[in-house]
Amino acid sequence: MLKQHLQFKLSQKLSPQQIQLMKLIQLPTQAFEQRLKQEIEENPALEGGKEETEQDFDSEFDNANDDYDDNESINADDINVDDYLSDDEIPDYRTQSNNYSSDDEDKNVPYASGTSFTQHLLNQLNTYRLTEEEEDIAEFLVGSVDESGYIRRTIPDIMDDLAFTQNVFTSEEKIESVLKTVQQLDPAGVGARNLQECLSIQLHRKEKTPDTELAIQIIDEAFDQFTKKHYKKLLQKFDITEIQLKDAISEIEHLNPKPGGSYAGNNRIVEHVIPDFAIKIVDGELELSLNGRNAPELHVSREYSNMLKGYKEAKEKSKSQKDAVVFIKQKLDAAKWFIEAIKQRQQTLFVTMSAIMNYQKEYFLTGDERNLKPMILKDIADEINMDVSTVSRVANSKYVDTPYGTKLIKEFFSESMKNDQGEDVSTREIKKILETVIEEEDKRKPLTDETLAGILKNKGYPIARRTVAKYREQLDIPVARLRKKI
């Protein structure tokens, strides 16, 4: 049975200009400069630098534009970004961030110059005497080396690919033999099929000493016990002293688990972090500044404004002139709006960062992370009367230069918990204390999560063992067994 009913829904739609403004606010300094350059190239009515004369021609433009509807004014405070971007439905300052925004297209991405890693390996192959078949196999193996320096594929798979794609029919034994040659290339450890083989190759290349000989035995014969840090089993298996084991482990720890990553010519994206803000301490007070590259000098083209004025004064107006004036009005209007949008962007960035700085004043004055107050996006949004999404866009992709180094702004945000006094404390404070306790522990007997929870409770932070485990994982600290040292 079909039913008819009326449904009323209140929704707010963002204008294209409001969307553009929010995207401008999101851009960090480097991406903003690229966007600015693009706008100047696309709009001939927008020019960079100071005007040649100081005369104000805004009134002339406004008079000539009486019959043209001005675009609506921009009001950043009332914008709810959640309505127009699906990936912003739940603003989250914890999302992965770099110095580019998610809305920014990756254009003209710089790469490190030099010979590629693959070419570097192929060049070395030329120094070996190989048959035509061996050369084909070697080149295929080199092409299978990933950016970490490993060959992750099995020998049978490589044999099948050689037959189907290269028309090279060979045996697994032949491929194994050629692989040994590839594994002689630099950097040491390249061409390994797993971590154990990678470390073994590097150790066999080193000068033979009692320490390296023992290290080779450990890696080749007791790799599982080594990775699990079962040191007592290693002492019994090889009938050695703790000092001998410690020296052998030191040899292993100085090896490179990712030989491909050490090659300087490897094609990797070069990412430069440019601070968007700077905070300084002057006479005991905090001083905030916005990177000057975010405040470019722009003005509307006088030439385009004069074209509009000339059309107004013309007695006869042809159709082509009318078409031209419509184009000119659009470009002039876009230029004026863009200049105003940049001003609003500057104001939004400064006001937001200023609120964050004042909220975390104690931290910025001391640099002690234990002084970071619990702070969520809504705290700052309420303070400056802006939408949470706007604060998220400022915090998520921008950096601030502080007396204690360049920091990603989102790092100043954290949730809160209650201490034994019932006071709200930042989870960042608890993590810092946890990190300090682990750093100072006896590495021969690392502290378990249960023990750590007890220590934190004694310090006034009653948190559960599972919470300790969660914070430890967030700090990239392994479990107690893997922190053990002899």
Side-chain angles (χ1 to χ4, degrees):
M1 183 176 177
L2 295 176
K3 290 184 179 180
Q4 276 189 326
H5 65 278
L6 291 174
Q7 182 178 5
F8 295 95
K9 183 179 179 182
L10 184 63
S11 63
Q12 182 183 25
K13 290 187 177 180
L14 296 176
S15 70
Q17 287 189 338
Q18 289 173 322
I19 293 174
Q20 288 279 32
L21 175 62
M22 296 311 297
K23 286 185 176 182
L24 283 174
I25 290 173
Q26 177 174 299
L27 296 177
T29 301
Q30 193 170 17
F32 170 70
E33 287 185 320
Q34 295 172 355
R35 175 68 180 86
L36 179 65
K37 182 180 178 182
Q38 178 188 351
E39 187 70 21
I40 291 176
E41 288 176 351
E42 292 177 357
N43 189 353
L46 181 67
E47 295 180 350
K50 291 184 178 180
E51 294 184 69
E52 294 181 2
T53 63
E54 296 297 327
Q55 293 178 347
D56 183 8
F57 59 88
D58 280 352
S59 58
E60 294 177 1
F61 169 75
D62 292 336
N63 291 335
N65 206 26
D66 286 341
D67 59 338
Y68 186 71
D69 291 333
D70 287 332
N71 287 303
E72 60 184 298
S73 61
I74 310 159
N75 191 345
D77 296 353
D78 299 330
I79 296 175
N80 185 354
V81 185
D82 299 351
D83 291 339
Y84 84 89
L85 278 183
S86 59
D87 62 349
D88 278 338
E89 287 179 359
I90 303 176
D92 188 356
Y93 56 83
R94 298 181 186 86
T95 53
Q96 185 176 0
S97 177
N98 52 33
N99 209 28
Y100 299 91
S101 72
S102 59
D103 291 332
D104 186 36
E105 295 181 15
D106 291 329
K107 297 179 180 179
N108 302 321
V109 180
Y111 285 86
S113 61
T115 307
S116 70
F117 184 40
T118 302
Q119 189 59 50
H120 172 68
L121 298 176
L122 290 174
N123 291 343
Q124 295 179 64
L125 279 179
N126 295 330
T127 64
Y128 290 82
R129 289 192 176 184
L130 302 172
T131 65
E132 186 175 341
E133 180 192 18
E134 289 172 339
E135 190 173 328
D136 290 339
I137 295 171
E139 289 180 359
F140 190 84
L141 288 172
V142 165
S144 301
V145 174
D146 65 18
E147 63 179 12
S148 295
Y150 289 82
I151 293 178
R152 308 285 185 181
R153 310 187 63 230
T154 64
I155 297 298
D157 286 344
I158 291 173
M159 185 178 71
D160 290 342
D161 276 358
L162 279 166
F164 285 111
T165 64
Q166 307 297 315
N167 204 29
V168 175
F169 299 91
T170 186
S171 64
E172 291 185 23
E173 292 75 17
K174 188 69 174 178
I175 295 174
E176 286 273 10
S177 174
V178 176
L179 179 60
K180 297 297 181 186
T181 301
V182 171
Q183 290 176 345
Q184 294 176 34
L185 304 178
D186 288 326
V190 74
R193 287 162 287 183
N194 51 56
L195 178 60
Q196 182 181 9
E197 188 174 40
C198 178
L199 299 178
S200 180
I201 291 170
Q202 294 179 59
L203 285 168
H204 279 90
R205 291 262 200 107
K206 298 189 79 170
E207 181 184 350
K208 296 297 181 288
T209 65
D211 293 339
T212 57
E213 293 283 3
L214 178 56
I216 289 171
Q217 281 185 289
I218 292 172
I219 294 300
D220 290 351
E221 302 171 24
F223 186 71
D224 190 50
Q225 289 97 322
F226 168 72
T227 56
K228 293 179 179 178
K229 297 198 173 184
H230 291 161
Y231 294 139
K232 288 184 179 179
K233 291 182 179 180
L234 292 175
L235 292 172
Q236 293 171 0
K237 182 179 179 67
F238 298 107
D239 191 22
I240 54 177
T241 65
E242 286 191 359
I243 294 177
Q244 287 175 306
L245 179 58
K246 186 175 182 180
D247 291 341
I249 290 174
S250 178
E251 288 286 342
I252 297 171
E253 288 177 341
H254 284 83
L255 302 176
N256 187 355
K258 292 184 179 181
S262 63
Y263 179 66
N266 201 355
N267 277 355
R268 293 171 178 267
I269 294 178
V270 178
E271 186 175 343
H272 303 284
V273 172
I274 299 175
D276 305 273
F277 306 91
I279 293 178
K280 295 180 180 179
I281 301 175
V282 180
D283 297 330
E285 293 295 326
L286 297 175
E287 186 177 280
L288 174 68
S289 61
L290 178 64
N291 190 323
R293 292 159 68 171
N294 289 285
E297 291 183 340
L298 296 171
H299 64 273
V300 177
S301 168
R302 176 167 294 280
E303 182 181 353
Y304 263 62
S305 183
N306 287 339
M307 287 182 189
L308 204 61
K309 184 180 177 183
Y311 170 79
K312 180 184 177 183
E313 294 174 352
K315 294 181 179 180
E316 295 183 7
K317 299 178 176 61
S318 65
K319 185 179 182 305
S320 61
Q321 285 178 311
K322 290 180 180 179
D323 292 340
V325 84
V326 169
F327 173 82
I328 293 169
K329 284 180 179 179
Q330 289 175 345
K331 293 300 180 184
L332 284 169
D333 187 74
K336 291 190 73 177
W337 176 86
F338 191 78
I339 293 171
E340 178 62 26
I342 288 179
K343 290 179 182 177
Q344 291 208 25
R345 175 182 181 272
Q346 294 168 11
Q347 182 181 10
T348 302
L349 295 186
F350 193 86
V351 167
T352 305
M353 188 62 221
S354 181
I356 293 171
M357 181 184 73
N358 291 328
Y359 202 99
Q360 301 291 4
K361 183 174 182 179
E362 195 173 348
Y363 163 75
F364 286 114
L365 285 173
T366 63
D368 188 344
E369 289 190 4
R370 290 172 296 184
N371 289 332
L372 276 172
K373 294 168 59 179
M375 179 177 73
I376 59 175
L377 296 171
K378 192 174 185 302
D379 293 330
I380 301 301
D382 292 344
E383 181 74 22
I384 60 179
N385 195 27
M386 287 189 183
D387 192 87
V388 169
S389 298
T390 305
V391 178
S392 175
R393 289 177 174 275
V394 175
N396 216 28
S397 60
K398 294 179 180 63
Y399 291 79
V400 57
D401 182 25
T402 75
Y404 325 106
T406 300
K407 310 285 186 181
L408 185 61
I409 296 171
K410 72 169 187 177
E411 293 178 357
F412 303 129
F413 289 83
S414 64
E415 297 171 349
S416 65
M417 332 189 27
K418 299 283 185 183
N419 62 12
D420 57 358
Q421 303 295 318
E423 300 169 334
D424 283 334
V425 293
S426 169
T427 54
R428 284 289 298 276
E429 178 182 335
I430 299 173
K431 287 179 185 178
K432 186 66 180 178
I433 295 171
L434 177 63
E435 194 174 24
T436 303
V437 170
I438 291 175
E439 283 177 0
E440 296 174 352
E441 71 183 357
D442 180 2
K443 296 304 178 185
R444 295 171 65 90
K445 295 180 180 179
L447 303 170
T448 63
D449 291 341
E450 192 73 43
T451 306
L452 289 169
I455 292 173
L456 286 171
K457 185 177 181 180
N458 292 334
K459 289 180 176 290
Y461 305 98
I463 59 177
R465 182 204 59 79
R466 63 180 179 275
T467 307
V468 170
K470 182 179 76 170
Y471 290 169
R472 178 179 50 72
E473 289 169 1
Q474 290 173 351
L475 291 167
D476 290 328
I477 298 174
V479 295
R481 177 173 51 80
L482 296 181
R483 299 200 305 273
K484 187 176 181 181
K485 291 184 179 180
I486 194 164

